[in-house]
Amino acid sequence: MSSAIPLRLYVNGDRYEIAVEPRRTLADALREDCGLTGTHLGCEHGVCGACTVLVDGQPVRSCLMFAVQAEDTSVRTVEGLAPDEERLHPVQQAFWENHGLQCGFCTPGFLVLIAGYLEEHPDAEEAELREVLSSNLCRCTGYQNILTSTMCAARAMRGEP
Amino acid sequence: MKPSPFEYVRPRDLAEALAAIAQDPDDSKILAGGQSLIPMMNFRLARPARLVDVNRVPGLAGLAADGDRVRVGTLTRHHAMERTPLPGPLGDLLRRAAAHVGHLPIRTRGTFGGSIAHCDAASEWCLVARLLDAEMTVRSQARGTRVIPAADFFQAVFTTAMAPDEILTSIALPALDEHYRTGIAEFARRAGDFAIVAATAAVRVEDGLVTEARICLGGVAEVPLRSAAAERVLLGARWSPELVTAAAEAAAADCDPPGDAHGDPAYRRDLVRALIPRALGLDVRR
């Protein structure tokens, strides 16, 4: 009853033909079956946000979704943020410039969360962004540099200096 | 931290979903947003043998006017409620309540009906449903459709009046006219946590007099609790901030909250006293 079933996933524009048990979370399928280990797993019960990915453009906890549920959707992970090998996504660039990370464990979740939100809400203001950032946990930075990075990325994405 | 094995069924319509759950109701679970169920499965607190994923069943999401009521489809995501253009005091209440549910990546998946069927005493949607005497429409293959009023629906922690073979399909809320004042206020240690105490209110004031009063509290009982004491103080009285303070005092005196690591009974009563005025837009300092 729980044997692997074939599944086609579209991740960062690439097609992955994998076979998973229904109980495989999307996070585990991305890491173990697609080899995309940029998505991190912290708590595995929806609290920490390290595993945040975009499904059809919306941020979700990939530990709280089964891989089979992502069939026919478009998934985007931290590996799919940068436009090419040379350039970083504006959110990644801003984290780089503003010391938005320390150990880096929570970083993929923050990057995906913020990139997804700013791409949909380029005019988001600080209070709104603080609320969004409260979704994820970081145990190193104290969040201030993450907020600074986010504000910086928002300006860059609006084309402001 | 990994779920036990289960059989996964993804019905294409409601009839298929009802048939799937009817085969083995006691060991099946409906998978809607999964934001409560999947954590419980990851912890193996829940081990359903079969998951019936209703996420692709058409016709279960969205808000629709239905006479003097608004019908909310069970699969309506919290995030959609947060952005509903529904006008008036009901729209205001739904948008504000939605903003209190978890965090953005939870709200994009979690559903209105899933929250109500899960029946957590601190859930914003259970509070709103009880506040407004919502009517829950449930269906099963064996017995067809029945409608359960909120007063009967919420029975105990994680326990509703639904039978294991039933699916909650929609929730009817009264369309509130412009004389209502609605709101929600809650207290939690961290943004996005379940509230220690939450208060919701819908009070109708016409020509300065309270013509209808609804106050519903979370975190003070096993299920959302309508405060009859507060409602009695308000009903028929002249609207004023002092009246709301008196109603909050009555609610605090009348309730019998539990004590746990998050707050003892006296602390919760203090929160009741503080949060009812806040829910009605009055930030009363004591």
Side-chain angles (χ1 to χ4, degrees):
Chain A
M1 79 182 233
S2 62
S3 54
I5 53 175
L7 174 67
R8 180 178 299 165
L9 287 183
Y10 293 94
V11 188
N12 305 324
D14 295 327
R15 195 173 78 179
Y16 293 84
E17 305 278 352
I18 59 175
V20 295
E21 282 186 71
R23 63 172 167 158
R24 191 73 131 180
T25 62
L26 177 58
D28 281 337
L30 290 169
R31 290 177 56 84
E32 308 290 334
D33 301 295
C34 301
L36 297 169
T37 54
T39 299
H40 289 177
L41 276 162
C43 71
E44 296 187 71
H45 63 283
V47 172
C48 77
C51 69
T52 305
V53 301
L54 302 178
V55 174
D56 290 335
Q58 296 292 318
V60 305
R61 306 282 207 229
S62 61
C63 73
L64 297 189
M65 185 169 171
F66 294 112
V68 287
Q69 296 186 277
E71 191 171 24
D72 302 324
T73 67
S74 167
V75 180
R76 195 163 164 221
T77 68
V78 68
E79 289 94 339
L81 292 185
D84 55 45
E85 295 287 317
E86 305 301 320
R87 293 173 297 168
L88 294 172
H89 186 282
V91 178
Q92 293 171 310
Q93 188 68 36
F95 268 62
W96 174 278
E97 290 171 2
N98 294 284
H99 195 185
L101 65 145
Q102 187 171 315
C103 86
F105 190 87
C106 69
T107 310
F110 272 103
L111 293 173
V112 170
L113 174 74
I114 297 161
Y117 195 80
L118 288 179
E119 285 173 7
E120 202 173 314
H121 305 91
D123 297 321
E125 292 178 1
E126 181 178 331
E128 184 182 346
L129 291 171
R130 279 177 178 269
E131 172 69 26
V132 171
L133 295 180
S134 77
S135 305
N136 287 17
L137 296 180
C138 170
R139 304 285 78 165
C140 300
T141 64
Y143 301 97
Q144 296 309 316
N145 285 353
I146 294 178
L147 178 65
T148 304
S149 305
T150 304
M151 300 295 291
C152 176
R155 284 192 298 275
M157 289 168 74
R158 287 195 297 263
E160 296 168 16
Chain B
M1 300 309 290
K2 309 291 180 193
S4 322
F6 57 84
E7 181 196 358
Y8 176 75
V9 186
R10 190 161 68 207
R12 284 164 300 184
D13 57 35
L14 189 57
E16 272 188 22
L18 292 170
I21 196 130
Q23 283 175 17
D24 186 9
D26 290 327
D27 284 319
S28 301
K29 287 294 282 182
I30 301 290
L31 175 61
Q35 303 301 288
S36 299
L37 177 60
I38 298 178
M40 291 173 85
M41 291 177 65
N42 286 357
F43 280 125
R44 301 205 178 191
L45 296 170
R47 295 185 219 188
R50 165 183 286 193
L51 277 194
V52 180
D53 180 356
V54 294
N55 280 281
R56 300 196 190 191
V57 172
L60 291 183
L63 276 66
D66 180 7
D68 58 355
R69 302 193 298 178
V70 172
R71 191 166 288 279
V72 184
T74 195
L75 262 189
T76 309
R77 312 274 167 191
H78 308 313
H79 193 47
M81 296 296 269
E82 198 178 359
R83 296 185 296 184
T84 177
L86 187 73
L90 180 60
D92 286 343
L93 177 63
L94 295 179
R95 281 186 291 275
R96 278 195 255 165
H100 282 289
V101 181
H103 296 286
L104 174 66
I106 301 292
R107 296 197 288 269
T108 59
R109 291 294 299 166
T111 66
F112 188 80
S115 213
I116 286 176
H118 182 57
C119 193
D120 189 305
S123 144
E124 287 80 7
W125 296 135
C126 295
L127 282 180
V128 167
R130 184 69 186 93
L131 175 77
L132 299 177
D133 284 320
E135 291 190 333
M136 272 52 93
T137 298
V138 305
R139 280 181 67 173
S140 64
Q141 191 181 52
R143 297 176 308 286
T145 299
R146 64 186 182 119
V147 175
I148 309 172
D152 301 330
F153 188 84
F154 302 110
Q155 297 193 335
V157 181
F158 302 149
T159 307
T160 71
M162 286 172 65
D165 65 340
E166 284 177 324
I167 297 179
L168 176 62
T169 56
S170 72
I171 299 92
L173 302 171
L176 305 176
D177 67 36
E178 76 277 15
H179 295 292
Y180 279 90
R181 293 156 192 254
T182 57
I184 179 166
E186 56 180 61
F187 182 77
R189 291 280 173 206
R190 292 163 300 208
D193 279 8
F194 273 115
I196 297 173
V197 171
T200 52
V203 178
R204 191 174 186 278
V205 182
E206 194 168 7
D207 298 329
L209 294 176
V210 175
T211 60
E212 192 184 286
R214 297 168 177 272
I215 303 287
C216 188
L217 303 170
V220 301
E222 281 206 345
V223 292
L225 181 76
R226 283 283 288 277
S227 177
E231 293 176 2
R232 265 197 307 274
V233 168
L234 291 167
L235 189 63
R238 184 153 292 280
W239 173 261
S240 70
E242 293 71 26
L243 176 70
V244 175
T245 306
E249 291 289 348
D254 189 54
C255 69
D256 184 19
D260 59 25
H262 302 292
D264 62 24
Y267 179 69
R268 284 170 199 259
R269 268 195 291 275
D270 277 347
L271 287 174
V272 168
R273 202 175 285 120
L275 291 172
I276 289 176
R278 281 186 210 174
L280 284 162
L282 306 164
D283 196 3
V284 179
R285 311 270 174 210
R286 286 185 299 121

XYZ file of all heavy atoms in Angstrom, chain A residues 1 49 54 63 77 85 106 113 116 135 142 149:
76
model
N 0.809 -1.209 0.000
C 0.000 0.000 0.000
C 0.845 1.263 0.000
O 0.377 2.326 -0.337
C -0.953 0.013 1.208
C -0.309 0.422 2.508
S -1.476 0.351 3.873
C -1.292 1.981 4.549
N 10.630 27.211 9.213
C 10.625 27.873 7.908
C 11.871 27.670 7.072
O 11.959 28.200 5.965
N 8.715 27.948 -3.027
C 7.555 28.540 -3.685
C 6.859 27.467 -4.513
O 7.504 26.769 -5.302
C 7.981 29.696 -4.597
C 8.739 30.844 -3.920
C 9.147 31.899 -4.959
C 7.884 31.497 -2.834
N 7.967 20.959 4.310
C 7.832 19.811 5.222
C 6.372 19.534 5.532
O 6.051 18.511 6.123
C 8.616 20.037 6.517
S 7.883 21.253 7.637
N 12.963 26.635 -5.759
C 13.768 26.506 -4.540
C 14.888 27.540 -4.583
O 15.028 28.282 -5.566
C 14.398 25.106 -4.436
O 15.372 24.978 -5.486
C 13.348 24.010 -4.576
N 24.757 31.595 -13.574
C 25.906 31.210 -12.750
C 26.696 32.420 -12.245
O 27.449 32.308 -11.281
C 26.852 30.306 -13.564
C 26.259 28.965 -13.955
C 26.155 28.021 -12.760
O 27.101 27.950 -11.958
O 25.100 27.374 -12.620
N 19.376 28.720 8.154
C 18.013 29.194 7.890
C 17.924 29.968 6.583
O 16.833 30.302 6.124
C 17.541 30.097 9.036
S 18.423 31.689 9.095
N 11.504 32.895 0.885
C 10.349 33.618 1.430
C 10.344 35.073 0.956
O 9.336 35.588 0.459
C 10.408 33.567 2.963
C 9.353 34.382 3.716
C 7.996 33.689 3.639
C 9.750 34.563 5.187
N 10.051 35.522 -2.939
C 8.670 35.275 -3.365
C 7.776 36.452 -3.002
O 6.952 36.899 -3.810
N 7.756 34.818 9.952
C 7.407 33.443 9.571
C 8.534 32.461 9.849
O 8.286 31.278 10.043
C 7.115 33.371 8.066
O 6.124 34.280 7.679
N 19.804 37.605 15.043
C 18.959 38.560 15.743
C 18.037 39.298 14.797
O 17.394 40.267 15.190
N 18.782 43.600 5.036
C 18.985 42.989 3.717
C 17.699 43.011 2.898
O 17.709 43.276 1.693
C 19.445 41.531 3.869
O 20.590 41.441 4.672
